[in-house]
Amino acid sequence: MSDSTTNDAAGNPLLGYWKVIACQLNSEWLHPSIFENFRYDLNPGTFFIHRAECSWYPSWVGSFPKHHEGSMSVDFEKKTIDLSPSGGPNEGKVYQGIFELDHDILKANFGLPGEPRPTSFKAQQGQVYEVWQRVDHPKSY
């Protein structure tokens, strides 16, 4: 890990609660009803998705990771974020991502497992791009 990689709370502005406000999968923008209930809870080294069971399709649990929790690694120098679900069909597989933080708006684009890390904030084939807004609590709307 580089010196700019952090999984602890000190100096990690990504930690906290986030709601999904936009989502693009394979270059197609998704309807808000698909993602509007998801609230990410980013903690040191982990992610948890509140309301992961509120999904438009029974096997789509946990938004794009398809599971409600897992590990997270962030490198602020490279502006990369990687998520690895701890269960579900992609258990232990890595979603390699990039991120950009602008105050309380976080843009993140992830390659699906087995796909390369994205290089821009537009989902190409095999990628999912989400825009998150910081909220005070996972029950915040």
Side-chain angles (χ1 to χ4, degrees):
M1 278 189 214
S2 73
D3 291 339
S4 62
T5 302
T6 182
N7 284 324
D8 61 21
N12 188 339
L14 303 186
L15 301 183
Y17 302 116
W18 301 89
K19 71 177 181 177
V20 181
I21 59 173
C23 182
Q24 187 181 53
L25 175 65
N26 297 325
S27 77
E28 296 291 329
W29 288 103
L30 301 179
H31 191 276
S33 64
I34 295 171
F35 56 80
E36 65 188 355
N37 293 307
F38 298 135
R39 300 295 184 270
Y40 282 82
D41 185 351
L42 304 184
N43 289 291
T46 65
F47 73 89
F48 183 87
I49 305 171
H50 295 266
R51 300 190 190 108
E53 71 282 1
C54 295
S55 186
W56 65 285
Y57 190 75
S59 66
W60 191 264
V61 173
S63 185
F64 69 88
K66 297 189 179 182
H67 192 63
H68 65 279
E69 64 185 343
S71 63
M72 174 183 71
S73 179
V74 178
D75 186 317
F76 289 94
E77 183 177 300
K78 295 178 181 177
K79 295 194 178 210
T80 61
I81 181 171
D82 295 342
L83 302 179
S84 181
S86 61
N90 294 316
E91 180 178 0
K93 297 178 182 175
V94 178
Y95 289 80
Q96 298 181 92
I98 58 172
F99 75 90
E100 182 177 290
L101 179 63
D102 184 5
H103 300 282
D104 288 341
I105 299 295
L106 176 63
K107 298 188 305 186
N109 193 11
F110 295 91
L112 300 176
E115 297 292 331
R117 187 181 305 277
T119 58
S120 67
F121 293 99
K122 179 182 189 306
Q124 305 297 324
Q125 191 64 31
Q127 297 177 356
V128 60
Y129 167 49
E130 289 191 341
V131 180
W132 300 346
Q133 180 181 12
R134 187 181 301 277
V135 293
D136 293 330
H137 189 273
K139 292 185 179 180
S140 300
Y141 294 88

